[in-house]
């Protein structure tokens, strides 16, 4: 199923679609208040973009600097060229320490690598500890948003899920009650865990340490209690210096949720006492993107989710409609970078309204990338034949003005007298939910000629 | 100053009044305007669907037809954005392209930035909701966008404020997309129509009698929703208000 079909299904439930739209618009408005509260906002965006652009131009150098400094701090560093290597490294590290129970904090990279099913197949008990992630994990769903993984669910849905899995009171969907129940449930998991896995928001080349931003403190708790901490990091997460971090932390949570800063900004710069810390640096297609002039800016993304919240299509179709790990505008460029054929409808799930590019804290040219990806879809022969043919014919007609004039004249004569049953047949996709414009008697060109004659 | 009037292909066929209003505005200001009759389409529908080859041919054709005018003026932010922001891929380095790119204007923008009239000799005693169509709004910068932290302005509102009796309504979402999106309106028709209805309802709930804007395509889409849902509001291209064609 492509995006149009999945979106149509989501829209069919009008009440829920509007609820979803409003929930995310509320986040967008909170973001606006936070962003507009900082006079230097646009300057921050400019600087952030410059730092990222610089890093990407010297990524090899910074990654090696990062590795060297991390090793000096007693952190083990591993390199994974793809998802498979990443997952195998994680499993090996767990097995080496005899770890059977893993607690995870939020990591879109491990979602991208499909780590959970791989570990579960190999006998590891994996628990996502971010509340939203835990909810979708229990429901065996993918996150529908990169910051708000369970945003597609109402509190009643969560209530039912917890009733089933956590044995909460029947019919009780009070958010505080549910959150406390989850807390009790997760606390046990934390205390019994053999190992923890976190994502990485920023890897600092200068120090060799990593920074993880959460609102729940679950990354800290997991990494502090268990003796084995594994951090999965995409190659693009590097920033040069600790002082650069301030630029990004100021932008990240304001863009994400409208908070001035996440509740926890946790720095991991060494293993816990008597423990081990491992960082897995993952490529998984990123260096291919880095080599592409048109799309390399997508690597600058800090995963704030602002482009999802602002996207009028994301808000009305939900994250699952994209069929890719990362939904919304950023996912619609990363998806085709990963697999053009499988994600060919994503660059078209967009009106090119450009809100995403302007809300983006790193000024990524998101809508231009989607515009560009459409050409790649056509060049790869992946555009629907019917659509392609119509546009080819249209372009041919447009090169023959007299033909266009003739066609227009006929249409203006015929359309007004056509029976509604024919005019609004199933072939008229426009007319499914909209009326056609009223066809006028004359074209502008005809009126213009009369106008010129009259002037003489 | 010789102005080439660029009327988007579908407006030529379907919206002669709004197109004539554009001509009238320019002529009433005593400007020398000509409509080159061999013009057709700027190639935007093809380009936005990824058909670069077809768009390339139409871009070349457009350049040939319009390159000798001092200014090219069109009643569409979207088609102007195509010329200004997307033609470079096809025409960079071609003779006359730099001039074309920097001298192609949307009509309201042209009035606001180049002609700067002090009055419009138009009356419009209605409550009006402004639809900030995305390409005019974000691609060519007709007004400040809600995403950015920059000083507020609106060329659209500034020009409309010269019209006697006009009242503006305040929308809940001042610059959200209406969902037209070119070929998007049929390739994602369910989404497109849903977005259109939401946008129209914002105007209805704000008490607008008329929705206006610089892009007839968005207005055509919204009017389609209005007519189907029989909503108590109508759309009107901004040129028809500014021309005093009431």
């Amino acid at each position: 199923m492509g995006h149009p079909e999945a979106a149509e299904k989501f829209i069919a439930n009008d009440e829920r679609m509007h609820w979803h739209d409003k929930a995310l618009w509320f986040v967008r408005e909170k973001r606006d208040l936070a962003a507009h509260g900082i006079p230097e906002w646009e300057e921050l965006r400019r600087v952030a973009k410059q730092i990222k652009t610089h890093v990407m131009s010297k990524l090899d150098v910074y990654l090696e600097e990062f590795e060297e400094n991390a090793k000096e701090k007693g952190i083990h560093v591993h390199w994974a060229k793809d998802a498979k290597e990443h997952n195998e490294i994680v499993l090996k590290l767990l097995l080496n320490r005899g770890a059977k129970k893993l607690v995870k904090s939020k990591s879109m990279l491990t979602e991208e690598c499909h780590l959970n099913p791989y570990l579960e197949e190999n006998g590891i008990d994996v628990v996502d500890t971010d509340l939203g992630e835990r909810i979708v994990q229990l429901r065996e769903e993918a996150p529908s948003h990169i910051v708000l993984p369970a945003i597609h669910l109402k509190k009643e849905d969560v209530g039912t899920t917890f009733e089933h899995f956590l044995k909460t009171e029947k019919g009780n969907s009070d958010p505080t009650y549910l959150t406390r129940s989850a807390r009790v449930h997760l606390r046990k998991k934390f205390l019994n865990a053999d190992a923890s896995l976190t994502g990485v928001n920023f890897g600092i080349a200068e120090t060799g340490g990593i920074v993880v931003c959460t609102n729940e403190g679950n990354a800290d708790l997991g990494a502090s209690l268990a003796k084995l901490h594994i951090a999965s990091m995409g190659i693009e997460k590097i920033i040069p210096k600790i002082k650069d971090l301030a630029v990004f932390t100021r932008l990240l949570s304001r863009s994400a949720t409208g908070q001035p800063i996440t509740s926890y900004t946790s720095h991991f710069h060494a293993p816990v006492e008597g423990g081990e810390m491992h960082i897995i640096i993952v490529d998984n297609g990123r260096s291919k993107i880095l080599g592409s002039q048109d799309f390399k800016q997508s690597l600058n993304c800090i995963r704030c989710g602002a482009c999802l919240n602002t996207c009028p299509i994301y808000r009305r179709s939900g994250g699952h409609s994209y069929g890719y790990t990362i939904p919304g505008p950023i996912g619609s460029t990363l998806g085709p970078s990963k697999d053009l054929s499988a994600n060919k409808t994503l660059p078209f799930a967009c009106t090119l309204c450009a809100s995403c590019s302007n809300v983006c804290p790193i000024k990524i040219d998101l809508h231009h990338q989607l515009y560009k990806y459409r050409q790649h879809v056509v060049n790869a022969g992946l555009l629907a034949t019917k659509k392609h043919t119509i546009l080819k014919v249209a372009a041919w007609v447009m090169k023959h003005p007299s033909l266009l004039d003739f066609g227009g004249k006929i249409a203006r004569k015929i359309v007004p007298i056509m029976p509604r049953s024919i005019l609004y047949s199933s072939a008229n996709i426009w007319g499914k939910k909209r009326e056609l414009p009223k066809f006028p008697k004359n074209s502008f060109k005809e009126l213009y000629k009369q106008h010129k004659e009259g002037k003489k | 100053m010789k102005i080439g009037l660029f009327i988007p292909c579908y407006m030529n066929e379907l919206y002669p009044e709004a197109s004539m209003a554009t001509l009238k505005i320019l002529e009433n200001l005593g400007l020398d305007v000509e409509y080159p009759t061999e013009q057709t389409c700027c190639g935007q529908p093809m380009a936005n669907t990824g058909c670069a080859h077809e768009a390339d041919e139409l871009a070349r054709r457009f350049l040939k037809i319009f390159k000798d005018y001092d200014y090219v003026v069109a009643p569409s932010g979207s088609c102007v954005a195509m010329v200004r922001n997307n033609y470079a891929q096809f025409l960079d380095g071609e003779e006359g392209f730099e001039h074309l790119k920097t001298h192609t204007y949307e009509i309201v923008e042209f009035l606001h930035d180049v002609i700067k009239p002090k009055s419009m000799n138009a009356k419009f005693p209605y409550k009006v909701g402004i639809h900030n169509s995305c390409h005019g709004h974000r691609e060519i910068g007709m007004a400040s966008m809600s995403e950015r932290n920059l000083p507020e302005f609106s060329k659209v509102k500034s020009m409309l404020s010269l019209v006697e009796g006009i009242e503006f309504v305040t929308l809940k979402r001042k610059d959200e997309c209406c969902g037209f999106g070119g070929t998007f309106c049929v390739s994602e028709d369910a989404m497109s129509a849903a977005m259109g209805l939401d946008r129209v309802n914002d105007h209805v709930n704000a008490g607008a009698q008329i929705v206006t804007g610089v892009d007839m395509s968005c207005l055509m889409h919204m009017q389609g929703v209005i007519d189907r849902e029989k909503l108590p509001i109508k759309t009107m291209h901004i040129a028809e208000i500014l021309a005093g064609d009431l």
Side-chain angles (χ1 to χ4, degrees):
Chain A
M1 202 192 313
H3 186 271
E5 298 79 28
E8 191 167 359
K9 274 175 92 177
F10 194 86
I11 291 165
N13 187 341
D14 188 71
E15 187 271 327
R16 201 172 180 104
M17 179 272 275
H18 279 110
W19 167 80
H20 191 262
D21 166 62
K22 287 199 179 96
L24 287 152
W25 184 256
F26 174 74
V27 182
R28 157 74 209 270
E29 285 187 317
K30 268 181 76 188
R31 171 265 169 210
D32 289 351
L33 273 177
H36 295 177
I38 293 189
E40 67 273 28
W41 182 256
E42 297 299 329
E43 174 72 4
L44 272 177
R45 292 175 75 224
R46 199 175 60 78
V47 173
K49 179 177 179 165
Q50 283 176 344
I51 295 170
K52 279 286 182 181
T53 308
H54 167 75
V55 170
M56 292 307 156
S57 72
K58 297 179 70 173
L59 192 55
D60 55 333
V61 177
Y62 282 121
L63 281 168
E64 282 177 5
E65 183 188 340
F66 175 79
E67 179 186 30
E68 198 178 313
N69 290 327
K71 280 180 172 167
E72 255 179 45
K73 292 191 157 59
I75 302 167
H76 301 273
V77 178
H78 311 261
W79 299 82
K81 74 167 189 289
D82 54 21
K84 185 169 173 281
E85 274 193 15
H86 165 263
N87 293 352
E88 286 167 1
I89 293 168
V90 174
L91 181 64
K92 207 174 127 204
L93 291 172
L94 294 174
L95 295 179
N96 283 351
R97 275 193 79 104
K100 284 271 172 202
K101 289 176 184 163
L102 176 70
V103 284
K104 278 175 70 204
S105 75
K106 211 152 132 322
S107 151
M108 287 312 294
L109 175 58
T110 58
E111 293 287 342
E112 175 188 322
C113 294
H114 304 292
L115 176 70
N116 288 13
Y118 173 81
L119 292 180
E120 282 159 6
E121 275 164 30
N122 285 282
I124 307 290
D125 175 31
V126 186
V127 175
D128 277 312
T129 60
D130 171 274
L131 178 56
E133 286 263 341
R134 185 61 182 150
I135 295 166
V136 293
Q137 189 190 20
L138 289 172
R139 296 170 61 94
E140 296 185 21
E141 288 176 352
S144 70
H145 188 290
I146 60 180
V147 174
L148 315 158
I151 191 70
H152 60 291
L153 299 172
K154 294 189 175 188
K155 61 184 181 188
E156 291 80 13
D157 302 322
V158 178
T160 322
T161 306
F162 281 10
E163 233 174 85
H164 184 73
F165 292 101
L166 310 187
K167 309 293 168 223
T168 54
E169 290 167 23
K170 203 168 164 53
N172 193 341
S173 58
D174 174 58
T176 307
Y177 169 71
L178 293 176
T179 310
R180 287 198 176 135
S181 310
R183 188 186 160 93
V184 172
H185 160 75
L186 285 169
R187 189 55 56 123
K188 279 184 226 144
K189 300 286 180 188
F190 278 118
L191 291 170
N192 293 322
D194 306 313
S196 82
L197 188 145
T198 66
V200 172
N201 287 93
F202 306 99
I204 305 160
E206 177 187 42
T207 65
I210 58 162
V211 176
V212 181
C213 304
T214 71
N215 273 328
E216 297 166 26
N218 53 323
D220 304 65
L221 197 54
S224 309
L225 288 173
K227 291 295 176 200
L228 173 61
H229 173 197
I230 304 168
S232 297
M233 175 176 99
I235 56 171
E236 81 283 17
K237 295 290 174 196
I238 292 286
I239 56 172
K241 295 185 185 303
I242 188 91
K243 70 170 187 186
D244 300 323
L245 184 64
V247 174
F248 293 98
T249 48
R250 292 188 77 195
L251 288 167
L252 177 64
S253 49
R254 283 184 174 88
S255 297
T257 55
Q259 296 165 266
I261 193 158
T262 40
S263 306
Y264 298 86
T265 301
S266 315
H267 296 240
F268 297 99
H269 276 77
V272 290
E273 224 178 287
E276 279 174 35
M277 179 173 166
H278 296 259
I279 298 173
I280 311 175
I281 302 174
V282 187
D283 184 330
N284 203 31
R286 285 164 176 73
S287 53
K288 194 188 95 189
I289 301 176
L290 187 60
S292 145
Q293 195 57 38
D294 287 338
F295 306 113
K296 66 177 180 187
Q297 278 192 47
S298 63
L299 290 178
N300 296 355
C301 175
I302 56 171
R303 301 288 189 270
C304 69
C307 64
L308 281 63
N309 304 339
T310 204
C311 179
I313 290 140
Y314 173 84
R315 277 188 265 112
R316 290 178 182 82
S317 62
H320 294 148
S321 67
Y322 290 78
Y324 183 66
T325 312
I326 296 177
I330 182 67
S332 297
T333 173
L334 292 173
S337 288
K338 187 96 194 150
D339 182 343
L340 186 62
S341 177
N343 298 299
K344 65 182 179 185
T345 61
L346 299 189
F348 297 92
C350 158
T351 55
L352 299 174
C353 83
S355 183
C356 51
S357 305
N358 288 291
V359 88
C360 175
I362 320 293
K363 300 179 80 162
I364 300 171
D365 57 344
L366 286 160
H367 76 289
H368 287 145
Q369 296 199 12
L370 302 186
Y371 172 82
K372 255 309 167 38
Y373 252 129
R374 296 174 184 192
Q375 295 183 14
H376 287 244
V377 170
V378 170
N379 293 341
L382 294 167
L383 187 69
T385 319
K386 192 173 144 199
K387 200 167 170 185
H388 200 180
T389 310
I390 290 172
L391 285 161
K392 275 183 180 168
V393 172
W396 182 79
V397 172
M398 293 303 179
K399 286 188 282 180
H400 301 85
S402 49
L403 206 64
L404 178 64
D405 291 347
F406 181 70
K409 210 178 176 101
I410 298 286
R412 279 190 302 277
K413 279 210 169 20
I414 290 179
V415 172
I417 55 166
M418 269 167 82
R420 192 171 173 91
S421 58
I422 296 177
L423 196 57
Y424 286 88
S425 72
S426 61
N428 180 357
I429 299 172
W430 169 280
K432 279 207 253 173
K433 296 236 162 94
R434 285 162 293 208
E435 291 296 300
L436 289 166
K438 299 199 172 39
F439 279 48
K441 238 170 130 178
N442 295 105
S443 70
F444 167 71
K445 199 191 272 189
E446 288 164 359
L447 296 184
Y448 178 76
K449 281 180 179 162
Q450 289 169 15
H451 175 76
K452 281 279 155 187
E453 287 297 316
K455 268 192 171 177
K456 272 179 195 164
Chain B
M1 186 201 287
K2 186 104 183 144
I3 297 169
L5 182 62
F6 160 29
I7 299 293
C9 47
Y10 73 96
M11 279 187 78
N12 173 51
E13 303 296 342
L14 296 173
Y15 296 98
E17 295 88 2
S19 308
M20 282 303 283
T22 310
L23 177 69
K24 188 182 161 193
I25 291 170
L26 296 169
E27 285 188 345
N28 285 354
L29 288 160
L31 299 164
D32 183 8
V33 198
E34 185 177 85
Y35 172 77
T37 54
E38 67 275 31
Q39 66 175 285
T40 55
C41 170
C42 65
Q44 188 183 185
M46 295 79 194
N48 285 359
T49 316
C51 299
H53 174 72
E54 286 75 16
D56 181 297
E57 290 180 331
L58 293 173
R60 281 174 201 285
R61 204 173 169 273
F62 189 95
L63 175 65
K64 216 167 106 191
I65 293 167
F66 282 105
K67 73 180 163 65
D68 294 324
Y69 291 99
D70 297 313
Y71 287 96
V72 177
V73 177
S76 163
S78 191
C79 301
V80 167
M82 174 69 190
V83 173
R84 214 184 273 174
N85 300 347
N86 292 334
Y87 265 14
Q89 183 192 351
F90 316 115
L91 299 177
D92 243 355
E94 295 288 330
E95 194 208 324
F97 175 58
E98 247 341 277
H99 173 79
L100 178 76
K101 189 170 85 174
T102 49
H103 289 78
T104 300
Y105 282 83
E106 186 284 323
I107 175 76
V108 176
E109 186 191 31
F110 182 68
L111 296 174
H112 183 275
D113 294 2
V114 182
I115 305 297
K116 304 174 182 158
K118 292 278 171 289
S119 64
M120 280 311 291
N121 194 23
K123 247 193 221 168
F124 200 72
Y126 294 100
K127 284 186 180 165
V128 169
I130 295 174
H131 174 63
N132 287 305
S133 58
C134 303
H135 289 176
H137 193 59
R138 297 192 186 82
E139 288 284 351
I140 64 175
M142 301 282 294
S144 49
M145 358 171 172
S146 58
E147 296 86 3
R148 303 283 293 273
N149 186 358
L150 296 169
E152 266 197 55
F153 72 96
S154 168
K155 295 179 187 180
V156 179
K157 200 168 178 181
S158 295
M159 291 315 301
L160 281 176
S161 300
L162 298 176
V163 174
E164 208 185 306
I166 198 164
E167 263 184 81
F168 301 106
V169 302
T170 306
L171 300 173
K172 277 206 165 130
R173 301 185 187 182
K174 67 173 189 170
D175 55 4
E176 189 177 50
C177 178
C178 69
F180 171 68
T183 52
F184 179 88
C185 76
V186 286
S187 65
E188 291 245 13
D189 67 294
M191 175 62 74
S192 176
M195 288 166 71
L197 184 57
D198 284 354
R199 204 81 304 281
V200 170
N201 278 332
D202 194 2
H203 287 271
V204 172
N205 295 336
Q209 294 165 287
I210 300 288
V211 182
T212 193
V214 302
D215 268 298
M216 204 64 232
S217 49
C218 305
L219 300 176
M220 169 174 76
H221 161 70
M222 287 194 270
Q223 188 66 51
V225 171
I226 292 168
D227 290 343
R228 177 63 55 94
E229 304 292 328
K230 301 194 169 46
L231 296 169
I233 194 166
K234 68 181 266 207
T235 60
M236 203 166 166
H237 192 274
I238 193 166
E240 293 178 89
I241 298 177
L242 293 174
D245 268 358
L246 190 62

